[in-house]
Amino acid sequence: DAKTTQPPSMDCAEGRAANLPCNHSTISGNEYVYWYRQIHSQGPQYIIHGLKNNETNEMASLIITEDRKSSTLILPHATLRDTAVYYCIVRAPYNQGGKLIFGQGTELSVKP
Amino acid sequence: DGGITQSPKYLFRKEGQNVTLSCEQNLNHDAMYWYRQDPGQGLRLIYYSQIVNDFQKGDIAEGYSVSREKKESFPLTVTSAQKNPTAFYLCASRMPGQDLLNQPQHFGDGTRLSIL
């Protein structure tokens, strides 16, 4: 199973873009990258996922390098409510249960 | 509204006692998962089920048991064999067999279990 590496913490000014990096150098060709975030004492919230191409939705953008060994989650205009732990996750294929393999995550603090 | 309901929100267990955590979903999802989260850590998979009447061990299944008699329900029992049960337990579900669409897992709000 692929593992991910993220910085343990990051700060971001309110209104600025937050760029959260993730390394997944052992990812295999059919493994997707997912991003979730967790606010204290709540269940993780799905943000975005991708395989090869960059993705964008109403919450964030996901930039995946061409070699797929790393990715960056971009919150274009961070707000105080974006303060949370962000997990970059590689999902195992369906024939392995599709389980999510969680790392330690990045604790993002958005400051006024 | 569709979603995943975990109950109770807080649970206390005495030494040597089995306790059962409830997880119900009305999303019509086939696959359900149980994770454990310790303070400052990521989630670790305990058990998962991709279809009714079938389930598989995850990475830390020892001391836990599950059942999947109905599609919408996936209860987790923390047995007395689990020596360190204090943790935050999270249930999730997703639609399997949709690999082309890669549906994400949806999580409940968790049950916090403590030892008395």
Side-chain angles (χ1 to χ4, degrees):
Chain A
D1 293 339
K3 299 287 191 292
T4 61
T5 305
Q6 299 176 253
S9 63
M10 290 182 64
D11 290 340
C12 179
E14 188 179 18
R16 304 296 294 268
N19 298 302
L20 289 85
C22 179
N23 287 327
H24 31 79
S25 58
T26 60
I27 194 170
S28 63
N30 59 353
E31 290 179 321
Y32 280 70
V33 178
Y34 284 75
W35 283 83
Y36 282 76
R37 71 181 182 185
Q38 187 177 25
I39 298 170
H40 183 61
S41 296
Q42 296 182 19
Q45 177 190 21
Y46 165 77
I47 302 173
I48 199 166
H49 73 280
L51 180 64
K52 295 179 184 178
N53 299 321
N54 298 338
E55 303 286 345
T56 296
N57 63 20
E58 64 277 4
M59 289 183 70
S61 295
L62 175 60
I63 309 298
I64 302 174
T65 58
E66 193 169 342
D67 63 7
R68 299 205 334 114
K69 293 186 177 182
S70 65
S71 61
T72 301
L73 177 76
I74 301 172
L75 307 178
H77 304 287
T79 70
L80 299 179
R81 283 188 283 186
D82 291 324
T83 292
V85 178
Y86 287 76
Y87 293 100
C88 168
I89 299 158
V90 173
R91 186 176 70 87
Y94 172 68
N95 62 359
Q96 295 177 29
K99 64 182 181 180
L100 298 176
I101 305 164
F102 281 78
Q104 303 278 25
T106 295
E107 186 164 6
L108 176 68
S109 296
V110 180
K111 300 181 184 300
Chain B
D1 286 347
I4 301 175
T5 302
Q6 291 188 241
S7 62
K9 192 170 179 65
Y10 299 95
L11 186 59
F12 298 92
R13 195 192 88 169
K14 295 180 181 178
E15 295 282 351
Q17 187 181 47
N18 293 354
V19 291
T20 297
L21 284 61
S22 170
C23 179
E24 303 279 330
Q25 54 98 0
N26 59 4
L27 299 166
N28 200 34
H29 287 172
D30 288 309
M32 297 185 74
Y33 305 80
W34 273 106
Y35 293 88
R36 167 183 172 138
Q37 186 174 34
D38 293 286
Q41 304 291 316
L43 282 66
R44 292 183 291 166
L45 182 66
I46 304 173
Y47 267 99
Y48 65 98
S49 166
Q50 298 197 80
I51 197 167
V52 174
N53 292 324
D54 185 57
F55 48 83
Q56 306 294 329
K57 291 183 179 180
D59 301 316
I60 54 166
E62 186 175 349
Y64 300 97
S65 66
V66 293
S67 63
R68 188 80 189 282
E69 297 176 2
K70 297 186 297 182
K71 186 176 185 177
E72 58 270 21
S73 178
F74 190 40
L76 173 75
T77 296
V78 184
T79 74
S80 57
Q82 172 50 245
K83 298 307 179 188
N84 185 24
T86 297
F88 188 44
Y89 291 87
L90 287 155
C91 178
S93 71
R94 69 181 286 272
M95 297 174 67
Q98 299 280 336
D99 236 28
L100 290 177
L101 298 177
N102 282 285
Q103 296 296 315
Q105 290 186 17
H106 297 267
F107 285 83
D109 281 334
T111 291
R112 194 167 297 279
L113 175 63
S114 301
I115 296 297
L116 288 177

